[in-house]
């Protein structure tokens, strides 16, 4: 039964959905998003699995479960919500001049504000 999923299980599903969206993309934009998500370093090498929460995606899945929806269908929506949050964070970092987020350099700090 999917309603017995833990927050960690749901976060893993959201993260897997995000990775599935980006895995076959090879443009610099997607490498920067993978960096921001914590999956890769600034050079593009895989990093250890980050301990990052995906609260917006988790909320989307929890809402789906509360409404007896299909979690597999909701994962794509949860990934989309997380991507929107990612964009918002990157924009906020540029606008505020913040050089670090989640104990890492921000995208604009590494690649410049125009790329971010």
């Amino acid at each position: 039964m999917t309603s017995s999923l833990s927050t960690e299980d749901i976060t893993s599903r959201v993260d897997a959905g995000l990775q599935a969206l980006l895995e076959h993309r090879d443009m610099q934009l997607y490498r920067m998003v993978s960096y921001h998500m914590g999956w890769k370093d600034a050079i593009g090498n895989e990093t250890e699995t980050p301990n990052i929460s995906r609260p917006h995606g988790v909320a989307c899945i929890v809402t789906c479960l509360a409404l007896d929806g299909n979690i597999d269908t909701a994962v794509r929506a949860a990934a989309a919500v997380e991507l929107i949050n990612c964009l918002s964070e990157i924009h906020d970092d540029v606008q505020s001049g913040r050089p670090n987020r989640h104990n890492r350099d921000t995208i604009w700090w590494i690649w410049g504000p125009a790329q971010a």
Side-chain angles (χ1 to χ4, degrees):
M1 178 178 234
T2 57
S3 61
S4 64
L5 291 171
S6 69
T7 302
E8 292 80 19
D9 292 335
I10 295 171
T11 301
S12 293
R13 284 185 181 222
V14 172
D15 214 48
L18 284 163
Q19 288 179 349
L21 288 173
L22 301 175
E23 69 183 343
H24 297 295
R25 315 276 181 170
D26 195 29
M27 294 173 53
Q28 179 70 9
L29 168 69
Y30 301 109
R31 285 190 289 272
M32 289 188 287
V33 171
S34 292
Y35 170 82
H36 183 79
M37 293 292 186
W39 304 321
K40 298 198 176 186
D41 63 17
I43 301 170
N45 298 319
E46 300 284 328
T47 60
E48 289 186 32
T49 305
N51 188 15
I52 296 175
S53 65
R54 304 280 185 225
H56 303 88
V58 169
C60 184
I61 298 292
V62 168
T63 301
C64 172
L65 292 173
L67 298 171
D68 291 326
N70 182 331
I71 190 171
D72 295 325
T73 304
V75 167
R76 293 188 74 153
V81 170
E82 282 297 331
L83 283 175
I84 292 168
N85 181 62
C86 173
L87 170 67
S88 176
E89 287 178 346
I90 293 167
H91 178 75
D92 181 56
D93 293 341
V94 172
Q95 293 299 306
S96 65
R98 180 181 300 123
N100 299 95
R101 179 179 291 274
H102 305 302
N103 299 315
R104 302 177 82 191
D105 290 338
T106 56
I107 286 179
W108 80 267
W109 191 254
I110 296 171
W111 288 283
Q115 289 296 311

